[in-house]
Amino acid sequence: MFSLALKNILFYKGRSITTCILTFISTLFFIVYVAMMDGSHISMLNNALKIYTGAIEIYKKGYRDIGGNEYLITDVKSLENKLEKIEGITSYTSRYETYGLLSSKELSSATMLVGINPSKEIKISQLKTALIEGSFLKDTPTNCIYVGADLVKKLHIKLYDELAFIGSASDNSFVADIFKLCGVFKTGSFKFDSTASFVSRSYLNELMYSHNRASYINIQVDDINNVETINSKINQVIDNEYESLSWKILMKSMVEAMEVDSIFGYISMALFFVVIFFVIMIFGFINVSSRIKEFGTLRCIGISKNDIKALLFYEIFILSTVAIFLAAPIGSYIAYYFSLNPIIIEGMSEMYKDYGIVSDEVPLSFNLFTISWNIVVIYFINFLSIIYPIRFINSFKPIEATRHV
């Protein structure tokens, strides 16, 4: 049956070429589309993680639910020494967050004041990259403050103006100080840019009595896909009073949004494949209908219904295989190339900065497992398309088929 199927493919060249082209386009489009969709999700996630939230964060249990100085990490150096020994962690830093009132000469606004290690923060987040005016913080103990653009607008201040801060220290005592506005940043997140302000920890530690203390430790990893494995290792070495949480928990709303986006993406893809399926099936049905006498003759010389099924199966299998073996390497190469060299859309980050997009790059995702199941889906659709033509041709009796006009 296989050799006969091959002869039929070569004989019916028009049908064979058309089926191959449809399968080729479907395979190539499917691989590239899924790679682009997955790549956009990875890019969205990386953008979000680079702005401020880490891939993993360590908290004292109760801090996220209750908060307050009673739930601060009180042995930062000990935890950081343990993190040094864990493979897969590229960088980490501790942050001290407190809330208070930030005031200019005329206006006041609530703020989240964060003590950071500037040299470490550069490796963790894009706070320095988000700079739009002035300069980023330094490790030296100065009273410079780095403020979000929307908060600056709220307070009606300009670079190097003085700001008064009132809040509470880590021991719940009252604190007040005067800061100088040295830099302004814009990440694109209105909520963040309208509330956040940063000061060097070397200065804030003296003000807040926060030496060796932190609200949490922020961690970045070498491969975001291995975050759960690394997070498990961290939980094994830290004390029970602490918890290590991955971005899947920290950014649950984004995870859900990406899942919804994927669902709609696959629905759109499904509609495309429904069209392709019916085109291939109708084309196959027309082809089979024109060969009723041929199949009737084969049945008369002893070919069974199962042999007819095998014949048509081999025909679609050969055509699908040829098309997929041409399309899969091309689609894989496109996905691989643009995963290393993302598509650059100039001005995209500025256009969509209000939505948290901080990069002009649109990468594709190269994943052999994803490409493999893409290919399996194409095979399945093609095999499904010949079920009705097989049932139709086998509904004829051999003599009836040879007399069919």
Side-chain angles (χ1 to χ4, degrees), residues 47 220 247 300 340:
N47 282 334
Q220 292 292 8
W247 64 268
C300 288
L340 299 178

Side-chain angles (χ1 to χ4, degrees), residues 30-47:
F30 193 29
I31 291 173
V32 174
Y33 180 86
V34 173
M36 184 171 290
M37 184 170 64
D38 291 346
S40 67
H41 290 165
I42 293 172
S43 178
M44 186 190 306
L45 174 62
N46 286 336
N47 282 334

